[in-house]
Amino acid sequence: MATDDEADRDPLFRYDEPIFADEDLLRISHLPGPNRIVGRDEHMQKVAEALNPAIFGQEPTHLFIFGKTGTGKSLISRSVSKRVENEAQHENVNVKTAFIDCGEQTTEASVIKTIGRELNDPNETGIKVPQRGLGTGDYYDRLWQIIDTCSDVVIVILDEIDMLEDDEVLRKLSRAGENRRVTDSTIGIIGISNKIDFPDELNERVKSSFAHDELVFPPYDAHQLVDILQNRADAFRDGVLSDDAVPLTAALAAQEHGDARKAIDILRNAGRIATKQEDEEVTEEHVYAAKEKTEADRFAELIEGAPTQAKAILLALTLLTENKPRDQFPTQQIYRQYQTIASDLDMDPLSERRVQEILQEQDFLNVINSETKGRGRGRGVHTKHRLLEEPEIVKKVLNRDSRIADLGI
Ligand SMILES: Nc1ncnc2c1ncn2[C@@H]1O[C@H](COP(=O)(O)OP(=O)(O)OP(=O)(O)O)[C@@H](O)[C@H]1O
């Protein structure tokens, strides 16, 4: 029988959680403790060596870390920095870390402003760092004051460093740390990128002023992914994970490249699907369904915000691919299919040239692969396009756009 309390509860919500014990452990933003980090001892040691001087108030070695997505670059940087912060306290040294996503903060001013805002404690410094309204120079002045007041050493982690519009900020940060007239504190920079070919380009640009060590993080193999997942299995209630769930998740995530982010996302989604279906166990079926959902979510992120025109073009290629899987299609053929869709959507069709440009932009997003070939002398060039995702997944995502869903395709 329901108690009075239960009877009072709003039936719109659920109050039991039969699958998860602590779902937060599977959130990507969650920073796991050192005992949950697997298979990166050597890399962790190298990052620790570079940051070691910070514990004694001295300048760390700057580092650049490269590796594909989900290989633990941010995790290891953040985790080791945190441990440096803790250790330094024993030496009465104040180390602070700022983590900046350069995908969002692409300009010099916004990077400096964001570092300032992350490090600043206005009660301690009496300094304000407004969101807007200051020139780049003023943001720098405030940052140096904040650093001097709040810390002895600052570790600046620049994630997606390749997205920075210019390197001036790297040059100024690295020089400031060496120049006691700018600030009394020292600064260590960790740059992170998943563009493996980035170092050469960057080296050319900042070689003279910016000495750094480089580290490459390889993808995980399926065994390492199993260990990573097993170390978070307490996110689930006892006995809820079937024996197959973790090995299957690891195997699916290792298919492209060993991506821990994808593995964790799949396992979490599997748990959510089981919860939704009111099942008592997370099984193989949940994992397969979760893989599809995780891929659709990622893909959705990629094309989110794309204009309906671009989606119509993508739909054209998707419909062609559905009839002839894994084939390449010339721009002209995609354009004809697109014209029909545009007219069904009551949209003014774009020119063939513009469609070609958009297809190549999509190529840039890794949704489509485009290849341009010469047809022989005097016959010009032509481009063929191939969809890289499963048409079914693409259609599912495109159907989230209400105008496209109305077509009933
Ligand atoms: N060795 C590991 N042990 C435990 N968890 C890990 C490990 N490596 C990565 N993870 C987890 O996988 C997820 C992705 O890791 P992380 O963000 O560090 O990858 P990344 O290489 O920085 O990827 P991206 O380039 O996409 O930002 C995080 O949730 C992280 O906690």
Side-chain angles (χ1 to χ4, degrees):
M1 242 188 73
T3 61
D4 276 357
D5 268 1
E6 279 169 17
D8 283 347
R9 308 304 295 261
D10 184 339
L12 186 61
F13 305 103
R14 56 181 314 148
Y15 298 96
D16 58 337
E17 184 43 279
I19 296 288
F20 289 111
D22 183 3
E23 193 183 338
D24 280 353
L25 288 176
L26 301 175
R27 273 182 219 285
I28 291 300
S29 56
H30 168 78
L31 182 61
N35 55 342
R36 290 189 193 271
I37 300 178
V38 197
R40 282 287 181 250
D41 292 352
E42 204 185 300
H43 296 83
M44 229 153 40
Q45 194 60 54
K46 288 197 176 135
V47 176
E49 270 161 33
L51 298 185
N52 212 136
I55 292 175
F56 308 101
Q58 288 152 18
E59 195 187 15
T61 305
H62 304 305
L63 265 186
F64 277 161
I65 301 181
F66 304 92
K68 291 193 171 166
T69 179
T71 51
K73 304 180 297 294
S74 322
L75 167 66
I76 301 302
S77 311
R78 284 163 69 208
S79 172
V80 177
S81 304
K82 183 107 219 110
R83 289 169 74 171
V84 168
E85 282 179 19
N86 294 341
E87 268 320 294
Q89 281 177 3
H90 297 298
E91 302 292 329
N92 282 327
V93 170
N94 196 351
V95 178
K96 287 253 169 81
T97 306
F99 187 94
I100 310 298
D101 179 354
C102 302
E104 281 177 21
Q105 319 296 338
T106 57
T107 64
E108 183 181 7
S110 67
V111 169
I112 292 306
K113 177 186 71 189
T114 313
I115 300 174
R117 289 174 70 89
E118 277 218 14
L119 298 177
N120 192 27
D121 175 355
N123 295 329
E124 191 185 341
T125 60
I127 299 170
K128 283 200 182 118
V129 184
Q131 271 295 2
R132 48 188 66 81
L134 292 187
T136 310
D138 292 326
Y139 279 123
Y140 271 113
D141 287 343
R142 292 196 190 186
L143 176 64
W144 305 142
Q145 284 174 42
I146 291 166
I147 289 182
D148 278 342
T149 320
C150 295
S151 63
D152 301 308
V153 184
V154 172
I155 300 169
V156 179
I157 304 175
L158 297 166
D159 199 11
E160 292 198 64
I161 192 171
D162 45 282
M163 301 292 280
L164 278 182
E165 273 172 22
D166 65 79
D167 332 300
E168 201 45 36
V169 62
L170 295 178
R171 205 170 287 135
K172 290 215 182 92
L173 282 174
S174 61
R175 287 206 182 138
E178 294 158 9
N179 186 347
R180 297 279 157 163
R181 273 175 307 171
V182 178
T183 161
D184 284 334
S185 305
T186 60
I187 299 175
I189 302 170
I190 302 183
I192 299 179
S193 170
N194 43 31
K195 301 230 162 59
I196 301 284
D197 53 0
F198 186 61
D200 286 346
E201 192 195 326
L202 186 95
N203 273 346
E204 280 311 308
R205 281 147 60 186
V206 286
K207 210 168 6 190
S208 58
S209 62
F210 192 25
H212 62 266
D213 282 357
E214 288 177 8
L215 264 182
V216 176
F217 279 41
Y220 295 110
D221 63 29
H223 296 293
Q224 288 171 316
L225 291 177
V226 167
D227 289 344
I228 290 172
L229 295 174
Q230 221 104 50
N231 262 350
R232 308 227 189 162
D234 51 336
F236 293 86
R237 291 198 181 279
D238 277 349
V240 157
L241 280 178
S242 71
D243 289 349
D244 306 325
V246 163
L248 178 62
T249 304
L252 293 176
Q255 263 169 6
E256 255 166 70
H257 72 266
D259 175 344
R261 179 194 304 273
K262 187 167 180 182
I264 292 173
D265 277 345
I266 294 178
L267 197 63
R268 180 171 177 218
N269 277 328
R272 290 180 151 201
I273 292 169
T275 307
K276 206 161 154 199
Q277 296 177 352
E278 302 194 349
D279 291 332
E280 286 168 0
E281 211 187 19
V282 179
T283 63
E284 274 192 18
E285 283 86 80
H286 298 129
V287 173
Y288 280 118
K291 179 189 181 238
E292 206 176 290
K293 180 176 183 326
T294 306
E295 284 176 353
D297 285 351
R298 284 194 162 195
F299 180 68
E301 253 173 53
L302 269 183
I303 58 171
E304 200 180 26
T308 310
Q309 286 282 11
K311 291 178 189 161
I313 297 166
L314 191 55
L315 182 62
L317 177 60
T318 307
L319 296 179
L320 292 170
T321 311
E322 217 171 22
N323 295 329
K324 249 178 142 195
R326 271 183 279 283
D327 228 326
Q328 291 184 316
F329 300 91
T331 308
Q332 233 179 14
Q333 196 180 349
I334 300 172
Y335 187 66
R336 279 198 299 272
Q337 179 83 49
Y338 155 78
Q339 281 177 308
T340 316
I341 296 170
S343 121
D344 290 347
L345 286 172
D346 232 354
M347 256 175 7
D348 291 336
L350 301 171
S351 69
E352 188 171 330
R353 208 175 125 224
R354 182 69 192 120
V355 168
Q356 160 92 338
E357 279 169 12
I358 292 177
L359 279 164
Q360 280 168 343
E361 282 163 24
Q362 300 281 345
D363 182 7
F364 183 66
L365 285 175
N366 276 335
V367 179
I368 288 170
N369 174 254
S370 303
E371 247 178 63
T372 303
K373 284 197 187 121
R375 283 175 176 159
R377 265 180 66 181
R379 298 180 58 206
V381 291
H382 78 158
T383 311
K384 283 188 166 182
H385 312 272
R386 194 162 57 89
L387 193 65
L388 295 173
E389 262 303 347
E390 291 296 322
E392 216 172 291
I393 293 178
V394 182
K395 256 169 65 175
K396 217 182 247 180
V397 175
L398 289 173
N399 270 314
R400 292 184 194 173
D401 185 312
S402 58
R403 290 178 73 185
I404 290 182
D406 286 345
L407 295 178
I409 293 173

